Amino acid sequence: MTYQISDTRVRSPRGPDIRATLARTAQRARGIFADYGLLLAFFAGWHVASVTGLLNPAVFPPLDRIGQALWNGIASGRLVGDIGISLQRAGLAFFAAVALGIPLGLFMGQIRAVERALDPILQLFRQTSALALYPVFILLLGLGEASKVFVIFWATLFPILLATIGGVKEVDAKLIEMARTFGAARLTTFRRVVLPASVPAIFVGLRLSATTALLLLIAAEMIGANKGLGFQVMNAQYNFQIPLMFAAIFLLAGLGLAANWVLVLLQRRLCRWNTARH
Amino acid sequence: MTLVQTQAKGEVTIRDLTKSFPLDGETLTVLKGINLDIRGGESLAIVGASGSGKTTLLRVLAGLEEPDTGDVLTDGAPVHGLGRERAVIFQEPRLLPWLTVLDNVAFGLEVQGVPKPEAAERARRYIRLVGLAEFEAAWPRQLSGGMAQRVGIARALTVQPEILLLDEPLGALDAMTKMTMQEELTRIWHEEKVTMVLVTHDLEEAIFLADRVLVLPGTKGDAIRLIDVDLPRPRDRNDTGFVGYRRQLMAEFGLH
Ligand SMILES: Nc1ncnc2c1ncn2[C@@H]1O[C@H](COP(=O)(O)OP(=O)(O)O)[C@@H](O)[C@H]1O
Ligand SMILES: [Mg+2]
């Protein structure tokens, strides 16, 4: 069942010895260094430059002071509340966009006439910056949560919708024909061929949408909000609490990385056939 | 004597078949007035120059294309569209990359509503038949061209068709793999007792596999021809009789 065609590695009969373990550890350390060395150097350079006064520490505080601000913010619950509300806004908008975008995209990609009729209006909406429409949404929905969630939803919808349409349209017609020769009904062909073939493209859309959601979240929170990480960045800067400002910025970056990481993991689970190595 | 397997099932009758395509506002007639009786269980090869309509004829037999005029009948019943008594093998294996070898082979049965465990059971039998038992759990991307095509053949056989329609199934393989697969196809055809209609541009392949070879007319508009291959099986590519047929077929195309 779990036959591996390519596993030709031969194990030492005496089991793993210490030298091999050491060599493997050294290799893994080298690997980590190759991946993250430059990032570590960046932060080290920042810290040293700030402590020695090469960079203005009032604008670029040393990392320990940012860490301190982060810790204080979390311990006092202040930043926790900001994270919560930000996650709620971005999450609500993202999941609504996905829940609408994927089914609509699958439908539009299947039916040429629908896709043709809707394409021009989609292109127009997509090219109109969501931020430019934010005042319109505020007029319609007020300055509260609804307009914030809606502007994020609006911007997040297009990447996932267009990626899904593209994925469905790109499905190899030869595979669909193959399914038909076995007598597969339209719905069966959709479920067994079109849908799985579109999954990689849908994931590209999901990751784009997640990035867009965070981008719009920050912008929306900088206008007329009194809570949230985006608000905290602006507010801390306004009050000249620079370490707190950077703490909020790093939290936002962490949020983006975490969202991407979850999606990559999910994609690996669902697309094992695609990532399986020779 | 030829070893023609004759049986009641898997007969194909083609009557006055014509097929054309629109081309730059004109019509390109690809198949014109074709009449042919394919015997149940026989192996028929279709050869012809590129563009002579081999694929078109096969697609009409499969039900993927509707003829302009004329009829196709299988076991006396008129063909309209696809049917379960016919299975198609294309030049590309057309495997689903997200399914393992086993699931790919079971795919045909599953879309026909056979429960998964039963489909897997029947699929295993044909995976063994094409010699891929060890590769059940492999992904298509891990297979060589020849192996992938075997999976495609197993998938077509699993639905137990009476008529197997093959469009240059070995066309993309290297010479050595191709010869092995030709022997494999002969064995499968013999064991499964199916009618085999094989489109090929390889004359040697046609002589090796077929009871009869149908030569489609080229652009010169000459007539359709049917050649009996009266050679014992298993066939030997270097046998004088075999070489004689090769010479005869090559002459049909003005080759020496
Ligand atoms: N769907 C189609 N639309 C228009 N022309 C086609 C179509 N299918 C085949 N043809 C034309 O019909 C002729 C025969 O094609 P085909 O049957 O593929 O030939 P072969 O398989 O013998 O090389 C070619 O000239 C080809 O361009
Ligand atoms: Mg062809």
Side-chain angles (χ1 to χ4, degrees), chain A residues 1 3 5 174-175 177-178 180-182 184 188 192-193 196-197 273-274 276-278, chain B residues 59 82 90 92 94-95 97-99 107-108 110 112 124 134-135 137-139 141 155:
Chain A
M1 273 277 117
Y3 185 84
I5 300 172
K174 290 181 167 176
L175 293 182
E177 190 181 72
M178 180 279 293
R180 282 217 301 136
T181 64
F182 286 106
T188 310
R192 298 289 319 256
V193 180
W273 54 275
N274 211 1
R277 290 274 163 266
H278 276 279
Chain B
R59 288 177 64 86
L82 300 145
F90 301 95
E92 331 77 38
R94 302 199 184 181
L95 303 183
W98 53 88
L99 296 182
F107 178 82
E110 282 177 21
Q112 292 181 0
R124 283 205 178 87
E134 290 161 90
F135 294 93
W139 300 108
R141 53 171 294 172
R155 179 179 58 195

mmCIF file of all heavy atoms in Angstrom, chain A residues 1 3 5 174-175 177-178 180-182 184 188 192-193 196-197 273-274 276-278, chain B residues 59 82 90 92 94-95 97-99 107-108 110 112 124 134-135 137-139 141 155:
data_model
loop_
_atom_site.group_PDB
_atom_site.id
_atom_site.type_symbol
_atom_site.label_atom_id
_atom_site.label_comp_id
_atom_site.label_asym_id
_atom_site.label_seq_id
_atom_site.Cartn_x
_atom_site.Cartn_y
_atom_site.Cartn_z
ATOM 1 N N MET A 1 0.833 -1.209 0.000
ATOM 2 C CA MET A 1 0.000 0.000 0.000
ATOM 3 C C MET A 1 0.863 1.251 0.000
ATOM 4 O O MET A 1 0.658 2.166 -0.750
ATOM 5 C CB MET A 1 -0.895 0.024 1.260
ATOM 6 C CG MET A 1 -2.194 -0.715 1.067
ATOM 7 S SD MET A 1 -3.403 0.326 0.258
ATOM 8 C CE MET A 1 -3.710 -0.500 -1.228
ATOM 9 N N TYR A 3 3.904 1.616 -0.901
ATOM 10 C CA TYR A 3 5.088 1.366 -1.706
ATOM 11 C C TYR A 3 5.721 2.672 -2.181
ATOM 12 O O TYR A 3 5.036 3.551 -2.676
ATOM 13 C CB TYR A 3 4.686 0.517 -2.914
ATOM 14 C CG TYR A 3 5.854 0.100 -3.747
ATOM 15 C CD1 TYR A 3 6.605 -1.002 -3.429
ATOM 16 C CD2 TYR A 3 6.203 0.852 -4.858
ATOM 17 C CE1 TYR A 3 7.687 -1.374 -4.188
ATOM 18 C CE2 TYR A 3 7.280 0.486 -5.627
ATOM 19 C CZ TYR A 3 8.015 -0.630 -5.280
ATOM 20 O OH TYR A 3 9.079 -0.997 -6.047
ATOM 21 N N ILE A 5 8.411 4.128 -4.726
ATOM 22 C CA ILE A 5 9.214 3.728 -5.874
ATOM 23 C C ILE A 5 10.663 4.160 -5.735
ATOM 24 O O ILE A 5 11.586 3.480 -6.122
ATOM 25 C CB ILE A 5 8.651 4.377 -7.140
ATOM 26 C CG1 ILE A 5 7.245 3.917 -7.328
ATOM 27 C CG2 ILE A 5 9.488 4.018 -8.339
ATOM 28 C CD1 ILE A 5 6.590 4.664 -8.415
ATOM 29 N N LYS A 174 -9.068 17.480 -22.521
ATOM 30 C CA LYS A 174 -8.861 16.059 -22.827
ATOM 31 C C LYS A 174 -9.246 15.171 -21.654
ATOM 32 O O LYS A 174 -9.700 14.052 -21.845
ATOM 33 C CB LYS A 174 -7.400 15.824 -23.202
ATOM 34 C CG LYS A 174 -7.047 16.424 -24.539
ATOM 35 C CD LYS A 174 -5.608 16.156 -24.910
ATOM 36 C CE LYS A 174 -5.401 16.498 -26.380
ATOM 37 N NZ LYS A 174 -3.998 16.347 -26.768
ATOM 38 N N LEU A 175 -9.025 15.672 -20.444
ATOM 39 C CA LEU A 175 -9.414 14.883 -19.271
ATOM 40 C C LEU A 175 -10.930 14.821 -19.154
ATOM 41 O O LEU A 175 -11.501 13.791 -18.797
ATOM 42 C CB LEU A 175 -8.806 15.492 -17.997
ATOM 43 C CG LEU A 175 -7.288 15.420 -17.874
ATOM 44 C CD1 LEU A 175 -6.828 16.014 -16.553
ATOM 45 C CD2 LEU A 175 -6.805 13.980 -18.003
ATOM 46 N N GLU A 177 -12.988 14.991 -21.644
ATOM 47 C CA GLU A 177 -13.441 14.081 -22.700
ATOM 48 C C GLU A 177 -13.251 12.621 -22.277
ATOM 49 O O GLU A 177 -14.120 11.772 -22.524
ATOM 50 C CB GLU A 177 -12.656 14.363 -23.986
ATOM 51 C CG GLU A 177 -13.218 13.640 -25.199
ATOM 52 C CD GLU A 177 -12.403 13.931 -26.441
ATOM 53 O OE1 GLU A 177 -11.267 13.431 -26.551
ATOM 54 O OE2 GLU A 177 -12.901 14.662 -27.301
ATOM 55 N N MET A 178 -12.121 12.361 -21.611
ATOM 56 C CA MET A 178 -11.852 11.005 -21.119
ATOM 57 C C MET A 178 -12.983 10.561 -20.179
ATOM 58 O O MET A 178 -13.516 9.455 -20.310
ATOM 59 C CB MET A 178 -10.494 11.001 -20.409
ATOM 60 C CG MET A 178 -10.045 9.685 -19.828
ATOM 61 S SD MET A 178 -10.784 9.302 -18.233
ATOM 62 C CE MET A 178 -10.054 10.576 -17.195
ATOM 63 N N ARG A 180 -15.968 11.626 -20.082
ATOM 64 C CA ARG A 180 -17.198 11.435 -20.852
ATOM 65 C C ARG A 180 -17.232 10.078 -21.545
ATOM 66 O O ARG A 180 -18.284 9.447 -21.634
ATOM 67 C CB ARG A 180 -17.334 12.548 -21.908
ATOM 68 C CG ARG A 180 -17.819 13.873 -21.353
ATOM 69 C CD ARG A 180 -18.737 14.561 -22.341
ATOM 70 N NE ARG A 180 -18.082 14.813 -23.619
ATOM 71 C CZ ARG A 180 -18.642 14.602 -24.790
ATOM 72 N NH1 ARG A 180 -19.881 14.163 -24.865
ATOM 73 N NH2 ARG A 180 -17.983 14.846 -25.908
ATOM 74 N N THR A 181 -16.056 9.614 -22.042
ATOM 75 C CA THR A 181 -16.060 8.325 -22.748
ATOM 76 C C THR A 181 -16.430 7.179 -21.810
ATOM 77 O O THR A 181 -16.839 6.123 -22.269
ATOM 78 C CB THR A 181 -14.696 7.994 -23.411
ATOM 79 O OG1 THR A 181 -13.716 7.843 -22.393
ATOM 80 C CG2 THR A 181 -14.273 9.057 -24.392
ATOM 81 N N PHE A 182 -16.276 7.389 -20.506
ATOM 82 C CA PHE A 182 -16.706 6.348 -19.565
ATOM 83 C C PHE A 182 -18.161 6.547 -19.150
ATOM 84 O O PHE A 182 -18.652 5.868 -18.262
ATOM 85 C CB PHE A 182 -15.800 6.326 -18.338
ATOM 86 C CG PHE A 182 -14.459 5.727 -18.617
ATOM 87 C CD1 PHE A 182 -13.331 6.524 -18.718
ATOM 88 C CD2 PHE A 182 -14.327 4.362 -18.823
ATOM 89 C CE1 PHE A 182 -12.093 5.970 -19.000
ATOM 90 C CE2 PHE A 182 -13.096 3.800 -19.104
ATOM 91 C CZ PHE A 182 -11.978 4.600 -19.200
ATOM 92 N N ALA A 184 -19.464 9.377 -17.836
ATOM 93 C CA ALA A 184 -19.655 10.230 -16.661
ATOM 94 C C ALA A 184 -20.688 11.321 -16.967
ATOM 95 O O ALA A 184 -20.612 11.987 -17.993
ATOM 96 C CB ALA A 184 -18.335 10.865 -16.249
ATOM 97 N N THR A 188 -20.961 14.505 -12.369
ATOM 98 C CA THR A 188 -19.859 13.620 -11.977
ATOM 99 C C THR A 188 -18.545 14.148 -12.540
ATOM 100 O O THR A 188 -17.532 14.180 -11.843
ATOM 101 C CB THR A 188 -20.108 12.193 -12.512
ATOM 102 O OG1 THR A 188 -21.433 11.806 -12.158
ATOM 103 C CG2 THR A 188 -19.115 11.218 -11.936
ATOM 104 N N ARG A 192 -15.520 15.023 -10.193
ATOM 105 C CA ARG A 192 -14.356 14.142 -10.208
ATOM 106 C C ARG A 192 -13.190 14.692 -11.032
ATOM 107 O O ARG A 192 -12.059 14.246 -10.880
ATOM 108 C CB ARG A 192 -14.741 12.760 -10.755
ATOM 109 C CG ARG A 192 -15.774 11.995 -9.957
ATOM 110 C CD ARG A 192 -15.264 11.468 -8.620
ATOM 111 N NE ARG A 192 -13.916 10.924 -8.633
ATOM 112 C CZ ARG A 192 -13.637 9.624 -8.602
ATOM 113 N NH1 ARG A 192 -14.598 8.754 -8.577
ATOM 114 N NH2 ARG A 192 -12.397 9.216 -8.589
ATOM 115 N N VAL A 193 -13.467 15.635 -11.958
ATOM 116 C CA VAL A 193 -12.385 16.132 -12.817
ATOM 117 C C VAL A 193 -12.180 17.642 -12.649
ATOM 118 O O VAL A 193 -11.098 18.096 -12.267
ATOM 119 C CB VAL A 193 -12.642 15.795 -14.304
ATOM 120 C CG1 VAL A 193 -11.508 16.319 -15.176
ATOM 121 C CG2 VAL A 193 -12.812 14.297 -14.495
ATOM 122 N N PRO A 196 -11.242 18.895 -8.705
ATOM 123 C CA PRO A 196 -9.876 18.628 -8.256
ATOM 124 C C PRO A 196 -8.817 19.303 -9.125
ATOM 125 O O PRO A 196 -7.790 19.737 -8.605
ATOM 126 C CB PRO A 196 -9.744 17.105 -8.319
ATOM 127 C CG PRO A 196 -10.996 16.570 -8.857
ATOM 128 C CD PRO A 196 -11.993 17.644 -8.979
ATOM 129 N N ALA A 197 -9.071 19.427 -10.417
ATOM 130 C CA ALA A 197 -8.079 20.061 -11.289
ATOM 131 C C ALA A 197 -7.942 21.548 -10.969
ATOM 132 O O ALA A 197 -6.904 22.149 -11.217
ATOM 133 C CB ALA A 197 -8.461 19.866 -12.753
ATOM 134 N N TRP A 273 -0.547 14.905 -4.472
ATOM 135 C CA TRP A 273 -0.139 14.416 -5.791
ATOM 136 C C TRP A 273 0.766 15.407 -6.503
ATOM 137 O O TRP A 273 1.591 15.052 -7.316
ATOM 138 C CB TRP A 273 -1.376 14.170 -6.650
ATOM 139 C CG TRP A 273 -2.276 15.364 -6.746
ATOM 140 C CD1 TRP A 273 -3.255 15.719 -5.864
ATOM 141 C CD2 TRP A 273 -2.269 16.357 -7.748
ATOM 142 N NE1 TRP A 273 -3.852 16.864 -6.268
ATOM 143 C CE2 TRP A 273 -3.277 17.293 -7.428
ATOM 144 C CE3 TRP A 273 -1.506 16.560 -8.915
ATOM 145 C CZ2 TRP A 273 -3.542 18.409 -8.223
ATOM 146 C CZ3 TRP A 273 -1.778 17.665 -9.692
ATOM 147 C CH2 TRP A 273 -2.787 18.573 -9.342
ATOM 148 N N ASN A 274 0.612 16.677 -6.151
ATOM 149 C CA ASN A 274 1.343 17.740 -6.835
ATOM 150 C C ASN A 274 2.718 17.949 -6.226
ATOM 151 O O ASN A 274 3.654 18.360 -6.888
ATOM 152 C CB ASN A 274 0.532 19.030 -6.741
ATOM 153 C CG ASN A 274 0.732 19.917 -7.936
ATOM 154 O OD1 ASN A 274 1.461 19.557 -8.849
ATOM 155 N ND2 ASN A 274 0.093 21.054 -7.924
ATOM 156 N N ALA A 276 4.340 15.564 -4.288
ATOM 157 C CA ALA A 276 5.104 14.332 -4.102
ATOM 158 C C ALA A 276 6.377 14.394 -4.931
ATOM 159 O O ALA A 276 6.334 14.678 -6.115
ATOM 160 C CB ALA A 276 4.266 13.127 -4.511
ATOM 161 N N ARG A 277 7.498 14.150 -4.281
ATOM 162 C CA ARG A 277 8.782 14.225 -4.987
ATOM 163 C C ARG A 277 9.071 12.910 -5.696
ATOM 164 O O ARG A 277 8.600 11.859 -5.308
ATOM 165 C CB ARG A 277 9.898 14.531 -3.983
ATOM 166 C CG ARG A 277 9.839 15.933 -3.417
ATOM 167 C CD ARG A 277 10.555 16.921 -4.315
ATOM 168 N NE ARG A 277 10.158 18.282 -3.982
ATOM 169 C CZ ARG A 277 9.171 18.929 -4.593
ATOM 170 N NH1 ARG A 277 8.485 18.349 -5.550
ATOM 171 N NH2 ARG A 277 8.865 20.150 -4.256
ATOM 172 N N HIS A 278 9.903 13.019 -6.712
ATOM 173 C CA HIS A 278 10.297 11.798 -7.438
ATOM 174 C C HIS A 278 11.175 10.918 -6.582
ATOM 175 O O HIS A 278 11.990 11.415 -5.844
ATOM 176 C CB HIS A 278 11.090 12.183 -8.702
ATOM 177 C CG HIS A 278 10.189 12.502 -9.840
ATOM 178 N ND1 HIS A 278 9.620 11.540 -10.621
ATOM 179 C CD2 HIS A 278 9.750 13.682 -10.289
ATOM 180 C CE1 HIS A 278 8.865 12.126 -11.530
ATOM 181 N NE2 HIS A 278 8.920 13.430 -11.350
ATOM 182 N N ARG B 59 -13.178 8.548 -33.768
ATOM 183 C CA ARG B 59 -14.038 9.366 -32.902
ATOM 184 C C ARG B 59 -15.516 9.185 -33.266
ATOM 185 O O ARG B 59 -16.371 9.243 -32.390
ATOM 186 C CB ARG B 59 -13.633 10.837 -32.982
ATOM 187 C CG ARG B 59 -12.293 11.124 -32.278
ATOM 188 C CD ARG B 59 -11.874 12.581 -32.436
ATOM 189 N NE ARG B 59 -12.804 13.485 -31.779
ATOM 190 C CZ ARG B 59 -12.734 13.823 -30.497
ATOM 191 N NH1 ARG B 59 -11.778 13.333 -29.742
ATOM 192 N NH2 ARG B 59 -13.617 14.647 -29.975
ATOM 193 N N LEU B 82 -21.931 8.190 -26.973
ATOM 194 C CA LEU B 82 -21.044 7.236 -26.295
ATOM 195 C C LEU B 82 -21.839 6.054 -25.780
ATOM 196 O O LEU B 82 -23.035 6.137 -25.564
ATOM 197 C CB LEU B 82 -20.354 7.962 -25.135
ATOM 198 C CG LEU B 82 -19.517 9.156 -25.600
ATOM 199 C CD1 LEU B 82 -19.560 10.274 -24.589
ATOM 200 C CD2 LEU B 82 -18.104 8.715 -25.873
ATOM 201 N N PHE B 90 -6.573 6.881 -25.872
ATOM 202 C CA PHE B 90 -6.031 7.959 -26.689
ATOM 203 C C PHE B 90 -4.512 7.875 -26.740
ATOM 204 O O PHE B 90 -3.898 7.077 -26.031
ATOM 205 C CB PHE B 90 -6.432 9.313 -26.102
ATOM 206 C CG PHE B 90 -7.923 9.505 -26.006
ATOM 207 C CD1 PHE B 90 -8.608 9.212 -24.834
ATOM 208 C CD2 PHE B 90 -8.643 9.995 -27.082
ATOM 209 C CE1 PHE B 90 -9.972 9.398 -24.733
ATOM 210 C CE2 PHE B 90 -10.017 10.180 -26.996
ATOM 211 C CZ PHE B 90 -10.681 9.880 -25.823
ATOM 212 N N GLU B 92 -2.412 10.127 -25.658
ATOM 213 C CA GLU B 92 -1.921 10.507 -24.341
ATOM 214 C C GLU B 92 -2.672 9.647 -23.324
ATOM 215 O O GLU B 92 -3.844 9.368 -23.520
ATOM 216 C CB GLU B 92 -2.197 11.977 -24.028
ATOM 217 C CG GLU B 92 -2.269 12.918 -25.207
ATOM 218 C CD GLU B 92 -3.581 12.808 -25.974
ATOM 219 O OE1 GLU B 92 -4.626 12.640 -25.332
ATOM 220 O OE2 GLU B 92 -3.554 12.877 -27.218
ATOM 221 N N ARG B 94 -3.933 10.337 -20.550
ATOM 222 C CA ARG B 94 -5.045 11.069 -19.928
ATOM 223 C C ARG B 94 -5.368 10.556 -18.527
ATOM 224 O O ARG B 94 -6.525 10.285 -18.194
ATOM 225 C CB ARG B 94 -6.302 11.025 -20.804
ATOM 226 C CG ARG B 94 -6.049 11.594 -22.199
ATOM 227 C CD ARG B 94 -7.318 11.983 -22.896
ATOM 228 N NE ARG B 94 -7.016 12.423 -24.262
ATOM 229 C CZ ARG B 94 -7.924 12.843 -25.119
ATOM 230 N NH1 ARG B 94 -9.193 12.891 -24.767
ATOM 231 N NH2 ARG B 94 -7.581 13.245 -26.323
ATOM 232 N N LEU B 95 -4.325 10.417 -17.719
ATOM 233 C CA LEU B 95 -4.537 10.010 -16.331
ATOM 234 C C LEU B 95 -4.867 11.246 -15.506
ATOM 235 O O LEU B 95 -4.451 12.354 -15.842
ATOM 236 C CB LEU B 95 -3.283 9.345 -15.778
ATOM 237 C CG LEU B 95 -2.780 8.123 -16.551
ATOM 238 C CD1 LEU B 95 -1.568 7.523 -15.845
ATOM 239 C CD2 LEU B 95 -3.876 7.089 -16.708
ATOM 240 N N PRO B 97 -3.998 13.380 -12.572
ATOM 241 C CA PRO B 97 -2.766 13.451 -11.777
ATOM 242 C C PRO B 97 -2.992 13.390 -10.263
ATOM 243 O O PRO B 97 -2.066 13.102 -9.522
ATOM 244 C CB PRO B 97 -2.137 14.791 -12.181
ATOM 245 C CG PRO B 97 -3.193 15.543 -12.890
ATOM 246 C CD PRO B 97 -4.192 14.559 -13.423
ATOM 247 N N TRP B 98 -4.223 13.672 -9.819
ATOM 248 C CA TRP B 98 -4.471 13.682 -8.368
ATOM 249 C C TRP B 98 -4.947 12.322 -7.851
ATOM 250 O O TRP B 98 -5.289 12.184 -6.691
ATOM 251 C CB TRP B 98 -5.480 14.764 -7.993
ATOM 252 C CG TRP B 98 -6.747 14.676 -8.779
ATOM 253 C CD1 TRP B 98 -7.848 13.945 -8.473
ATOM 254 C CD2 TRP B 98 -7.036 15.353 -9.999
ATOM 255 N NE1 TRP B 98 -8.788 14.098 -9.442
ATOM 256 C CE2 TRP B 98 -8.323 14.966 -10.393
ATOM 257 C CE3 TRP B 98 -6.318 16.246 -10.808
ATOM 258 C CZ2 TRP B 98 -8.921 15.441 -11.561
ATOM 259 C CZ3 TRP B 98 -6.918 16.708 -11.967
ATOM 260 C CH2 TRP B 98 -8.200 16.313 -12.330
ATOM 261 N N LEU B 99 -4.991 11.326 -8.734
ATOM 262 C CA LEU B 99 -5.381 9.984 -8.299
ATOM 263 C C LEU B 99 -4.197 9.031 -8.434
ATOM 264 O O LEU B 99 -3.397 9.150 -9.356
ATOM 265 C CB LEU B 99 -6.544 9.460 -9.140
ATOM 266 C CG LEU B 99 -7.883 10.206 -9.051
ATOM 267 C CD1 LEU B 99 -8.923 9.500 -9.914
ATOM 268 C CD2 LEU B 99 -8.363 10.299 -7.614
ATOM 269 N N PHE B 107 -11.380 4.520 -11.904
ATOM 270 C CA PHE B 107 -12.182 5.721 -12.225
ATOM 271 C C PHE B 107 -13.371 5.426 -13.140
ATOM 272 O O PHE B 107 -14.496 5.849 -12.879
ATOM 273 C CB PHE B 107 -11.271 6.777 -12.865
ATOM 274 C CG PHE B 107 -11.985 8.028 -13.279
ATOM 275 C CD1 PHE B 107 -12.265 9.028 -12.361
ATOM 276 C CD2 PHE B 107 -12.380 8.217 -14.604
ATOM 277 C CE1 PHE B 107 -12.924 10.185 -12.742
ATOM 278 C CE2 PHE B 107 -13.045 9.368 -14.993
ATOM 279 C CZ PHE B 107 -13.312 10.348 -14.061
ATOM 280 N N GLY B 108 -13.110 4.676 -14.223
ATOM 281 C CA GLY B 108 -14.174 4.383 -15.181
ATOM 282 C C GLY B 108 -15.356 3.686 -14.530
ATOM 283 O O GLY B 108 -16.511 4.037 -14.752
ATOM 284 N N GLU B 110 -16.071 3.679 -11.304
ATOM 285 C CA GLU B 110 -16.684 4.537 -10.284
ATOM 286 C C GLU B 110 -17.669 5.527 -10.895
ATOM 287 O O GLU B 110 -18.744 5.737 -10.352
ATOM 288 C CB GLU B 110 -15.609 5.262 -9.475
ATOM 289 C CG GLU B 110 -14.985 4.348 -8.430
ATOM 290 C CD GLU B 110 -13.879 5.041 -7.668
ATOM 291 O OE1 GLU B 110 -13.846 6.280 -7.646
ATOM 292 O OE2 GLU B 110 -13.032 4.324 -7.102
ATOM 293 N N GLN B 112 -19.307 5.083 -13.400
ATOM 294 C CA GLN B 112 -20.474 4.321 -13.858
ATOM 295 C C GLN B 112 -21.309 3.810 -12.695
ATOM 296 O O GLN B 112 -22.256 3.057 -12.885
ATOM 297 C CB GLN B 112 -20.020 3.153 -14.743
ATOM 298 C CG GLN B 112 -19.429 3.636 -16.049
ATOM 299 C CD GLN B 112 -19.002 2.516 -16.964
ATOM 300 O OE1 GLN B 112 -19.140 1.342 -16.647
ATOM 301 N NE2 GLN B 112 -18.471 2.883 -18.121
ATOM 302 N N ARG B 124 -7.790 -3.863 -9.578
ATOM 303 C CA ARG B 124 -6.562 -4.599 -9.248
ATOM 304 C C ARG B 124 -6.289 -5.707 -10.262
ATOM 305 O O ARG B 124 -5.151 -5.959 -10.638
ATOM 306 C CB ARG B 124 -6.667 -5.207 -7.850
ATOM 307 C CG ARG B 124 -6.461 -4.179 -6.782
ATOM 308 C CD ARG B 124 -5.960 -4.786 -5.481
ATOM 309 N NE ARG B 124 -5.757 -3.704 -4.547
ATOM 310 C CZ ARG B 124 -6.726 -3.235 -3.758
ATOM 311 N NH1 ARG B 124 -7.913 -3.780 -3.771
ATOM 312 N NH2 ARG B 124 -6.484 -2.209 -2.970
ATOM 313 N N GLU B 134 2.885 -3.651 -8.549
ATOM 314 C CA GLU B 134 3.683 -2.981 -7.520
ATOM 315 C C GLU B 134 3.476 -1.478 -7.498
ATOM 316 O O GLU B 134 3.938 -0.798 -6.594
ATOM 317 C CB GLU B 134 5.165 -3.236 -7.766
ATOM 318 C CG GLU B 134 5.603 -4.655 -7.518
ATOM 319 C CD GLU B 134 6.924 -4.894 -8.211
ATOM 320 O OE1 GLU B 134 7.965 -4.660 -7.587
ATOM 321 O OE2 GLU B 134 6.894 -5.279 -9.395
ATOM 322 N N PHE B 135 2.812 -0.935 -8.505
ATOM 323 C CA PHE B 135 2.722 0.519 -8.619
ATOM 324 C C PHE B 135 1.334 1.068 -8.310
ATOM 325 O O PHE B 135 1.037 2.214 -8.596
ATOM 326 C CB PHE B 135 3.168 0.965 -10.018
ATOM 327 C CG PHE B 135 4.622 0.694 -10.252
ATOM 328 C CD1 PHE B 135 5.042 -0.479 -10.841
ATOM 329 C CD2 PHE B 135 5.565 1.615 -9.841
ATOM 330 C CE1 PHE B 135 6.373 -0.739 -11.037
ATOM 331 C CE2 PHE B 135 6.914 1.367 -10.028
ATOM 332 C CZ PHE B 135 7.318 0.189 -10.627
ATOM 333 N N ALA B 137 -0.004 2.233 -5.741
ATOM 334 C CA ALA B 137 -0.093 3.437 -4.911
ATOM 335 C C ALA B 137 0.702 4.607 -5.484
ATOM 336 O O ALA B 137 0.770 5.673 -4.876
ATOM 337 C CB ALA B 137 0.393 3.127 -3.501
ATOM 338 N N ALA B 138 1.303 4.420 -6.660
ATOM 339 C CA ALA B 138 2.130 5.489 -7.235
ATOM 340 C C ALA B 138 1.252 6.578 -7.833
ATOM 341 O O ALA B 138 0.095 6.362 -8.187
ATOM 342 C CB ALA B 138 3.034 4.901 -8.310
ATOM 343 N N TRP B 139 1.817 7.800 -7.911
ATOM 344 C CA TRP B 139 1.135 8.912 -8.579
ATOM 345 C C TRP B 139 1.520 8.896 -10.055
ATOM 346 O O TRP B 139 2.643 8.491 -10.392
ATOM 347 C CB TRP B 139 1.549 10.253 -7.975
ATOM 348 C CG TRP B 139 1.236 10.384 -6.529
ATOM 349 C CD1 TRP B 139 2.140 10.376 -5.491
ATOM 350 C CD2 TRP B 139 -0.054 10.538 -5.929
ATOM 351 N NE1 TRP B 139 1.479 10.500 -4.298
ATOM 352 C CE2 TRP B 139 0.143 10.605 -4.525
ATOM 353 C CE3 TRP B 139 -1.354 10.612 -6.428
ATOM 354 C CZ2 TRP B 139 -0.909 10.753 -3.624
ATOM 355 C CZ3 TRP B 139 -2.398 10.759 -5.534
ATOM 356 C CH2 TRP B 139 -2.173 10.832 -4.155
ATOM 357 N N ARG B 141 2.631 11.109 -11.979
ATOM 358 C CA ARG B 141 3.878 11.812 -12.306
ATOM 359 C C ARG B 141 5.124 10.976 -12.017
ATOM 360 O O ARG B 141 6.227 11.333 -12.443
ATOM 361 C CB ARG B 141 3.959 13.150 -11.568
ATOM 362 C CG ARG B 141 3.759 13.028 -10.074
ATOM 363 C CD ARG B 141 4.054 14.327 -9.402
ATOM 364 N NE ARG B 141 5.458 14.629 -9.539
ATOM 365 C CZ ARG B 141 6.021 15.750 -9.190
ATOM 366 N NH1 ARG B 141 5.286 16.719 -8.733
ATOM 367 N NH2 ARG B 141 7.309 15.949 -9.308
ATOM 368 N N ARG B 155 -7.372 0.995 -17.362
ATOM 369 C CA ARG B 155 -8.602 1.731 -17.042
ATOM 370 C C ARG B 155 -9.700 1.438 -18.071
ATOM 371 O O ARG B 155 -10.869 1.251 -17.715
ATOM 372 C CB ARG B 155 -8.308 3.234 -16.999
ATOM 373 C CG ARG B 155 -9.532 4.087 -16.693
ATOM 374 C CD ARG B 155 -9.166 5.557 -16.643
ATOM 375 N NE ARG B 155 -8.559 5.995 -17.902
ATOM 376 C CZ ARG B 155 -7.887 7.142 -18.046
ATOM 377 N NH1 ARG B 155 -7.750 7.952 -17.025
ATOM 378 N NH2 ARG B 155 -7.378 7.469 -19.204
#
